[in-house]
Amino acid sequence: MLADVSHGLYWAFGMQMLIITEDLPLSFYENNILPHIINCACSSSVIMELRQKVVPLAYGNVLEIGMGSAVNMDLYNPTKVDMIWGLEPSLGMRKKAMKNIAKSPIHVEWLSLPCERIALDDHSVDSVVLTYTLCTIPDWRVAMLQIHRVLKTGGKVFFCEHGQAPDDSIKKWQNRLNRVWGNAFGGCNLNRPMIENIQSCGFTIDWFESNYIKGMPKFASYISVGVATKNT
């Protein structure tokens, strides 16, 4: 197990090696280096296959939380989606997203505030897309309650998230590594129980599937994909 964790720290979702120097200014790292790392890690072929299971299901006025570099744009069905609000506080990620957005016929409007403060009216969103985002939001509960607020009654959340593993041995390593992992990867948490967290904020899970990604370190690759509906 130790070998698996050590390998995972260097490999990290397909990246061969990550070196963070202490003398690198944090703002420079967050705006210029971290977006590239996250984009590479979250757009690998196996990750895109998982996104493919839920993103094309989005419909109407869509809110994508943590839009990042807009790697989901090619997966949206333009015949079902009217427009997308892309919530992304990171200027570096928004800059990286422009190329993907320019290739799509779907109109995108940026929301720059964090998910804990979604600048949209109540019941104004038809569906929400969450892909590899809940792991990073500092106050996930407030964020999910904000999502609940802006969604119309019966609105859907389409999610693809990594989180707490079911195996005790893996959970122990997730807890041990969580702080250093978060410092390296923009506040990402390894150990959040995603299905329980979504359910606890006024949503019913329609369906989900969870599993480890084959060939990736287990502590960082337990993925849950599914759909949730806002309760009345």
Side-chain angles (χ1 to χ4, degrees):
M1 180 63 203
L2 182 59
D4 181 50
V5 172
S6 177
H7 173 65
L9 284 173
Y10 283 99
W11 194 40
F13 282 117
M15 300 298 294
Q16 292 301 314
M17 188 169 77
L18 171 67
I19 300 175
I20 301 175
T21 58
E22 293 183 358
D23 60 343
L24 192 65
L26 183 59
S27 59
F28 180 86
Y29 172 71
E30 289 179 338
N31 289 323
N32 298 279
I33 297 177
L34 185 61
H36 176 70
I37 293 171
I38 293 175
N39 182 63
C40 291
C42 293
S43 60
S44 66
S45 58
V46 64
I47 296 297
M48 294 305 293
E49 288 176 9
L50 292 170
R51 293 174 183 269
Q52 179 72 44
K53 294 184 177 185
V54 288
V55 177
L57 303 177
Y59 59 90
N61 293 330
V62 177
L63 169 62
E64 181 172 343
I65 304 294
M67 194 169 194
S69 58
V71 296
N72 285 333
M73 287 305 298
D74 285 345
L75 303 181
Y76 283 107
N77 184 342
T79 66
K80 295 172 59 177
V81 173
D82 297 325
M83 60 87 63
I84 298 172
W85 283 293
L87 190 148
E88 180 50 65
S90 169
L91 179 60
M93 295 304 291
R94 292 203 301 270
K95 287 180 179 178
K96 205 162 188 64
M98 298 314 295
K99 182 178 179 180
N100 288 327
I101 291 175
K103 295 187 297 183
S104 173
I106 302 173
H107 176 65
V108 174
E109 292 186 16
W110 287 114
L111 300 175
S112 59
L113 291 176
C115 191
E116 294 92 336
R117 292 183 289 154
I118 301 176
L120 293 175
D121 294 334
D122 296 357
H123 314 297
S124 59
V125 174
D126 296 299
S127 60
V128 172
V129 170
L130 287 168
T131 55
Y132 306 100
T133 299
L134 279 182
C135 58
T136 303
I137 298 171
D139 194 332
W140 65 266
R141 184 177 295 278
V142 170
M144 286 304 303
L145 292 175
Q146 282 285 295
I147 290 171
H148 190 278
R149 175 184 66 80
V150 301
L151 259 180
K152 296 177 181 178
T153 300
K156 302 287 185 181
V157 174
F158 302 102
F159 61 89
C160 179
E161 298 283 347
H162 78 92
Q164 185 182 77
D167 303 292
D168 289 339
S169 60
I170 307 299
K171 274 193 253 187
K172 287 180 181 178
W173 278 108
Q174 288 180 319
N175 293 333
R176 290 172 182 171
L177 296 171
N178 197 59
R179 184 173 180 179
V180 66
W181 183 269
N183 288 338
F185 294 103
C188 176
N189 290 271
L190 295 167
N191 56 0
R192 289 181 175 175
M194 291 302 177
I195 300 301
E196 294 175 22
N197 288 355
I198 293 171
Q199 287 178 314
S200 71
C201 293
F203 294 90
T204 298
I205 302 294
D206 297 349
W207 65 265
F208 78 96
E209 55 186 58
S210 300
N211 216 329
Y212 297 105
I213 297 178
K214 188 176 181 180
M216 290 189 176
K218 287 187 174 181
F219 74 87
S221 67
Y222 190 71
I223 311 294
S224 295
V225 181
V227 179
T229 299
K230 174 182 174 177
N231 298 333
T232 55

